[in-house]
Amino acid sequence: MARTWPRLTMALGALGVATSGVFVALSGTSPSTATFFRCLLALPLVWPLACSERRHEGRLSWRGGAVAAGAGVLFAGDALLWTQAIFEVGAGLTAVLVNAQVILVPLLALLIDREPLARAFLGIVPFMVAGIVLTGGIFETGVPGSAPVWGTIHAILAALCYSGFLFLLRRNGQMGRAIQSYCGVLASAAVVALLVGSLWSGITVTPGWSALGWLALTAVGSQVCGWLLVALASSQLSSMASAALLLLTPVGALALAALALGEQPSLLQLFGCALMLTSAYAASASSSSWRWLTGPARRLLGTSRDV
């Protein structure tokens, strides 16, 4: 499916990932506990698929395993910081803020792989920054979440880790054995969450059946049905196309957070969300798409100059 319909696979994966914020919030567990269990519970589901891939395609190389382990460390950092931000700024808004990755991933691809940027990329960055400030509610009072400023900071740090994770995930997938690589990501992230949890926010190895149930849903919906599909599809798409399709995650997360958690962002925050998502799409759009989007404005300006 990923090779035949990579865009559809990526879209379905992005929507699967969108469920994680609500499920983690409903679990009420610490960032380390949530990260540890969402990875640990996903491993038994992904492992048989990895074994099947190994029989048909061969073993993942040592280099591929090392890259997967590094991606797991970055995923753990993303999940830990992102989960902390959920309680500080809200599940829906956090999902939007983390998608500053749509700016960072193409930059990594440019610096390391010399993959060219879209023509309008640099012009979009100031609008993305403005969207981040508005979405976080930094200058407002009475917005959702307990600490909007810290939530925004944690979400942006999570976006940095998220960008590195996506870059390594896509790069490893291009070498083949994507499912085995993803198993390495899950195992590495679980170990990191366990180690960090003992030093930072604490980890509960017996969170209770209710919390465990929500974390199991996170593992199935996000880690297996979400990130596994993303891992399979990302190697078939450009970094810009992947980043654009992943924008379905914050859109879905905003809708789910409103329905399940009753989160109601302010008008300025909603405007910031719209600004971020529009900027992110424009940054990752192809040149032809960008010309189509800006055509009316360019024609209007051209008419004005003629007057």
Side-chain angles (χ1 to χ4, degrees):
M1 179 179 175
R3 293 181 180 178
T4 308
W5 298 299
R7 292 178 181 273
L8 176 60
T9 303
M10 179 68 79
L12 292 174
L15 291 174
V17 174
T19 63
S20 60
V22 170
F23 291 155
V24 167
L26 290 171
S27 76
T29 55
S30 70
S32 300
T33 302
T35 302
F36 174 71
F37 276 103
R38 65 187 287 186
C39 294
L40 183 69
L41 294 173
L43 271 172
L45 301 175
V46 178
W47 181 256
L49 300 175
C51 291
S52 176
E53 181 187 72
R54 179 179 173 180
R55 286 194 299 269
H56 289 90
E57 300 184 19
R59 183 196 297 267
L60 182 69
S61 67
W62 283 105
R63 180 184 176 186
V67 173
V73 172
L74 290 170
F75 179 79
D78 164 39
L80 290 165
L81 291 162
W82 172 78
T83 305
Q84 180 66 30
I86 286 176
F87 302 105
E88 295 170 335
V89 77
L93 296 177
T94 301
V96 176
L97 289 168
V98 168
N99 275 271
Q101 59 83 19
V102 81
I103 296 291
L104 300 173
V105 171
L107 284 176
L108 285 174
L110 171 68
L111 293 173
I112 299 175
D113 291 338
R114 298 294 186 266
E115 186 175 316
L117 296 173
R119 183 181 299 177
F121 183 85
L122 294 177
I124 294 302
V125 173
F127 296 97
M128 174 65 78
V129 173
I132 289 171
V133 172
L134 293 174
T135 300
I138 293 175
F139 301 117
E140 294 184 82
T141 57
V143 295
S146 60
V149 175
W150 277 111
T152 302
I153 293 172
H154 287 141
I156 298 306
L157 291 175
L160 292 172
C161 294
Y162 185 38
S163 300
F165 160 67
L166 288 175
F167 177 78
L168 292 180
L169 188 71
R170 175 173 174 265
R171 191 174 224 201
N172 225 20
Q174 290 173 332
M175 297 188 290
R177 286 81 170 177
I179 302 178
Q180 294 177 70
S181 175
Y182 186 58
C183 261
V185 169
L186 291 174
S188 174
V191 171
V192 171
L194 187 63
L195 294 175
V196 172
S198 61
L199 301 173
W200 181 35
S201 59
I203 187 166
T204 305
V205 294
T206 55
W209 290 111
S210 176
L212 203 59
W214 289 116
L215 294 176
L217 285 175
T218 307
V220 173
S222 178
Q223 300 304 134
V224 178
C225 297
W227 280 118
L228 179 57
L229 292 178
V230 171
L232 291 171
S234 60
S235 61
Q236 308 296 319
L237 298 167
S238 71
S239 62
M240 293 181 185
S242 298
L245 287 167
L246 280 173
L247 292 177
L248 289 172
T249 295
V251 174
L254 277 172
L256 285 172
L259 291 173
L261 304 177
E263 292 184 1
Q264 296 181 343
S266 69
L267 289 176
L268 275 178
Q269 285 179 308
L270 289 174
F271 177 72
C273 290
L275 190 59
M276 277 194 72
L277 295 176
T278 303
S279 299
Y281 175 78
S284 56
S286 64
S287 297
S288 59
S289 298
W290 178 251
R291 284 194 298 269
W292 181 82
L293 285 169
T294 59
R298 287 188 289 106
R299 286 193 294 270
L300 179 60
L301 289 173
T303 303
S304 300
R305 283 195 298 267
D306 293 338
V307 174

